[in-house]
Amino acid sequence: MENFDQIFTLLAEHEGFGLNTDILETGLLNIIALVGILIFAGRDFLGSILEERKTTIVQGIQDAEDRLNEAQKRLAEAKKQLDQASLVIGEIKNETITTKKMLLKSDAFAAKKDLKIRFERALATFRSKERQIFLEIKQQIISLVLTRTVTRAQEAFKPKDRAATLINDTINKLEGDLL
């Protein structure tokens, strides 16, 4: 706080702020000489540092451009591969649809063939049963006819002698036809 007060005291004594034109007192020559020596002595040092920095920056930019070009090449290659993969996927989808259609046709054909075989078996079974039933009916008709014939014959030929004579005559006739 004391220094602060001294500043104001000095300002009051010297009549305020002003420009000091005495070059030796201000040290301006000293500062210019120092800057000149620094530039002369430090030119090589600063030049090499700046040149190295410039080389590093140029190299960094070149590396970045190379990486950018490489990335663009890889992007183009990836796009080509994506297009090729899309084509392959499209072909696979088409082949899948074709295969599905063929399998459906094959399944339909197999089902139709299986149905035809089953129908033919059912028809054969039906015809077999029909023949069997026809034969059974025929046997029953023959049996009924024979039963009625025997019954009528017995009624017509009640006396045993007459039946025996008729049977013997029939057997004799048949023997003559057979010989």
Side-chain angles (χ1 to χ4, degrees):
M1 186 74 160
E2 202 173 296
N3 288 336
F4 190 65
D5 289 338
Q6 287 176 355
I7 292 173
F8 287 114
T9 306
L10 282 173
L11 283 176
E13 287 177 9
H14 291 290
E15 300 173 5
F17 291 105
L19 184 58
N20 189 356
T21 55
D22 187 10
I23 292 178
L24 295 175
E25 194 176 296
T26 60
L28 184 60
L29 286 175
N30 291 337
I31 292 173
I32 290 173
L34 184 62
V35 169
I37 292 170
L38 280 175
I39 289 174
F40 179 73
R43 182 177 354 156
D44 294 332
F45 176 70
L46 284 176
S48 67
I49 288 176
L50 289 175
E51 189 62 35
E52 188 178 311
R53 180 72 179 140
K54 180 182 172 185
T55 305
T56 305
I57 290 171
V58 168
Q59 184 65 34
I61 290 172
Q62 186 64 36
D63 289 344
E65 287 177 351
D66 290 343
R67 287 193 306 264
L68 176 64
N69 289 335
E70 183 65 29
Q72 287 175 340
K73 286 178 185 176
R74 285 188 295 195
L75 177 63
E77 185 66 29
K79 284 182 180 180
K80 279 183 185 179
Q81 288 177 353
L82 177 63
D83 291 341
Q84 289 174 350
S86 296
L87 288 174
V88 169
I89 289 171
E91 288 175 9
I92 290 172
K93 282 182 181 179
N94 289 339
E95 287 177 9
T96 303
I97 290 170
T98 304
T99 305
K100 273 185 181 179
K101 287 179 181 178
M102 288 175 60
L103 286 174
L104 287 174
K105 286 180 181 177
S106 173
D107 287 347
F109 179 73
K112 190 175 180 180
K113 185 177 179 181
D114 185 44
L115 188 60
K116 182 179 178 183
I117 290 170
R118 286 184 181 186
F119 181 74
E120 287 174 356
R121 285 181 186 166
L123 189 61
T125 304
F126 174 74
R127 287 183 179 153
S128 172
K129 289 288 185 183
E130 183 181 40
R131 271 188 253 121
Q132 185 180 4
I133 290 171
F134 180 73
L135 289 175
E136 287 177 4
I137 291 173
K138 187 176 174 183
Q139 286 292 357
Q140 286 180 355
I141 290 172
I142 291 172
S143 184
L144 283 173
V145 168
L146 285 177
T147 305
R148 277 193 177 168
T149 304
V150 168
T151 306
R152 283 187 184 166
Q154 284 177 349
E155 287 175 2
F157 303 111
K158 271 234 179 206
K160 287 186 180 183
D161 293 334
R162 191 170 171 200
T165 309
L166 184 61
I167 290 174
N168 286 333
D169 287 342
T170 306
I171 290 174
N172 288 335
K173 273 187 188 178
L174 288 175
E175 276 183 3
D177 289 337
L178 289 177
L179 294 177

